[in-house]
Amino acid sequence: MKYIDEFRDGAVARELSRAICREAGAERHYQFMEFCGGHTHAISRHGVTDLLPRNVRMVHGPGCPVCVLPIGRVDIAIQLALKEHVVLCTYGDVLRVPASGNLSLLKAKALGADIRMIYSAADALTLARENPDRQVVFFAIGFETTTPPTAVVLREARDLGVGNFSVLCNHVLTPAAIVNILESPEVRELGTVPLDGFVGPAHVSSIIGTEPYEFFASEYRKPVVIAGFEPLDVLQAILMLIRQVNDGRAEVENQFTRVVTREGNVAAQTLVSEVFELRRSFEWRGLGVVPYSALRIRDTFAAYDAERRWPLAYQQVRDNKACDCGAILRGLKHPTDCKLFGTVCTPETPMGSCMVSSEGACAAHYSYGRFRDSRELAS
Ligand code: SF4
């Protein structure tokens, strides 16, 4: 097994496409949300929507960690770097997320702040050990997939007694975000975003397993199919969702069996719960303040918590009025609905977070869909 080629086989993709067209009843519409930015990217990159009939539509969800990071959290990181003169390190995409005052971490770096790009949580701790006379803060973001590595470095910092290291924690939780979407007026009352089911996250589910989604299936009567990130994974998941809808079933099914189990990675879950606990509330870009949707560092690791080491006041900041990221992250709008898409806002000059990461709906659409849009408009 080569793990990639066989999941990109064109002949199998056409076969799956024919099955979807055959089984999607012409008399009804199907609308599924791909929660994860990885799926959004895969769908755009491999032209999955071109293989679907017109009555099967995919809606982007909020599962891109860079996209959902609210401006206020980036402002705090900039404040730490500019005013407290710490070495602030984080992943590459985060550096370009627009913040208040026309700033971003990258622009703050140009103003003299010591901000560095790292490739892993382990790099952050290495940086602290190499610079014992500087305070090093890791601006940690991400869903359940990137939380265990942050837990590992926090435990290692404590065990090694690295006193100049701390973490500004922004780790968020998938199930809480899905509940928020299902409870939103657009989905529940107005029917503006009719959702027939979810393509569930791949990597996140390798950590948390499929069990947490069983609640959505039973309580909200929404089918969930956990899927891998290759085009055949996504097509097969869509077919599985259509079959559930046609049968009147609302179950959790696992297409990504080569990686995901029902119980998930128990060792990683244990590690995470040793280091982190639930935050009462956390602001998400697009979703607003969502209760119990993120993690904070436990008291036992308080010495490594940047939010306790410095007096950081979080302030909610409104998004740029012209940017439709919030509506896109809730499935209400499409990237091309935004007036700034592809003109003022491009991956080189992002005005909103959805244009920053390749997993963001706007960036994915800009990279792989914008020429098709103009062809469709011309025809
Ligand atoms: S195109 Fe840019 S400004 Fe418009 S919604 Fe997307 S990220 Fe925001």
Side-chain angles (χ1 to χ4, degrees):
M1 180 179 266
K2 294 188 290 265
Y3 288 107
I4 290 189
D5 294 357
E6 58 268 65
F7 294 98
R8 295 183 180 179
D9 186 306
V12 182
R14 280 188 287 280
E15 192 51 48
L16 281 166
S17 169
R18 277 193 287 273
I20 288 171
C21 292
R22 217 172 31 241
E23 298 194 31
E27 68 289 348
R28 64 156 298 163
H29 280 83
Y30 302 79
Q31 182 150 285
F32 304 117
M33 175 176 275
E34 88 271 4
F35 178 85
C36 209
H39 286 130
T40 301
H41 181 88
I43 287 168
S44 300
R45 179 175 179 198
H46 298 286
V48 169
T49 43
D50 293 345
L51 295 170
L52 302 178
R54 281 189 179 273
N55 59 332
V56 177
R57 190 165 169 252
M58 301 304 294
V59 182
H60 310 310
C64 155
V66 174
C67 306
V68 296
L69 193 61
I71 290 174
R73 298 297 294 184
V74 187
D75 285 351
I76 283 185
I78 291 174
Q79 184 189 332
L80 268 176
L82 279 176
K83 296 204 177 128
E84 306 293 345
H85 306 293
V86 306
V87 179
L88 190 112
C89 51
T90 192
Y91 303 123
D93 282 346
V94 184
L95 299 180
R96 302 192 305 123
V97 176
S100 295
N102 199 26
L103 275 179
S104 64
L105 285 165
L106 208 54
K107 288 178 182 167
K109 184 178 169 69
L111 291 176
D114 193 345
I115 294 172
R116 308 193 195 181
M117 187 185 90
I118 51 170
Y119 290 100
S120 70
D123 287 351
L125 187 58
T126 303
L127 201 56
R129 297 182 72 189
E130 287 171 354
N131 296 274
D133 52 336
R134 302 284 310 276
Q135 286 292 330
V136 174
V137 178
F138 173 36
F139 186 44
I141 74 150
F143 285 89
E144 289 88 339
T145 327
T146 45
T147 311
T150 307
V152 167
V153 290
L154 275 166
R155 208 165 63 170
E156 214 175 318
R158 185 198 57 186
D159 294 348
L160 295 170
V162 186
N164 64 324
F165 177 72
S166 57
V167 170
L168 180 54
C169 178
N170 301 275
H171 286 299
V172 287
L173 302 170
T174 304
I178 296 183
V179 168
N180 184 277
I181 289 166
L182 289 168
E183 287 287 347
S184 68
E186 297 93 5
V187 173
R188 212 170 165 82
E189 295 155 26
L190 307 175
T192 327
V193 186
L195 284 183
D196 295 303
F198 288 90
V199 174
H203 295 161
V204 161
S205 305
S206 71
I207 304 294
I208 68 173
T210 62
E211 202 245 333
Y213 307 101
E214 289 169 10
F215 171 73
F216 313 121
S218 60
E219 186 70 15
Y220 294 94
R221 301 293 305 154
K222 298 291 180 197
V224 180
V225 176
I226 310 301
F229 282 141
E230 294 302 324
L232 296 192
D233 291 322
V234 180
L235 281 166
Q236 189 177 28
I238 293 169
L239 181 60
M240 291 163 80
L241 283 167
I242 288 170
R243 285 178 177 163
Q244 284 207 45
V245 171
N246 288 351
D247 296 347
R249 289 181 289 125
E251 297 167 8
V252 178
E253 292 183 311
N254 184 9
Q255 182 279 334
F256 200 29
T257 50
R258 62 192 186 277
V259 173
V260 174
T261 60
R262 182 171 184 267
E263 66 278 8
N265 184 332
V266 177
Q269 292 165 19
T270 307
L271 173 66
V272 166
S273 64
E274 179 195 332
V275 176
F276 297 104
E277 62 189 6
L278 282 176
R279 268 183 206 266
R280 286 232 169 92
S281 63
F282 191 81
E283 187 193 359
W284 293 54
R285 196 184 292 241
L287 304 188
V289 176
V290 183
Y292 299 106
S293 64
L295 297 173
R296 50 170 266 159
I297 296 168
R298 281 189 187 277
D299 288 348
T300 39
F301 288 86
Y304 301 92
D305 185 351
E307 287 176 83
R308 302 195 216 192
R309 194 172 283 195
W310 286 277
L312 302 173
Y314 180 73
Q315 277 197 320
Q316 260 181 281
V317 181
R318 287 191 60 185
D319 284 339
N320 180 334
K321 266 197 218 148
C323 170
D324 280 333
C325 274
I328 291 169
L329 289 165
R330 295 199 311 281
L332 287 171
K333 287 194 176 179
H334 192 257
T336 48
D337 294 331
C338 175
K339 289 192 187 80
L340 307 186
F341 177 82
T343 53
V344 178
C345 185
T346 68
E348 287 74 41
T349 55
M351 300 300 289
S353 58
C354 298
M355 193 57 100
V356 172
S357 161
S358 62
E359 293 189 358
C362 297
H365 200 75
Y366 183 88
S367 301
Y368 303 111
R370 67 189 197 279
F371 297 119
R372 193 187 56 202
D373 289 340
S374 42
R375 276 201 310 272
E376 278 173 4
L377 281 175
S379 65

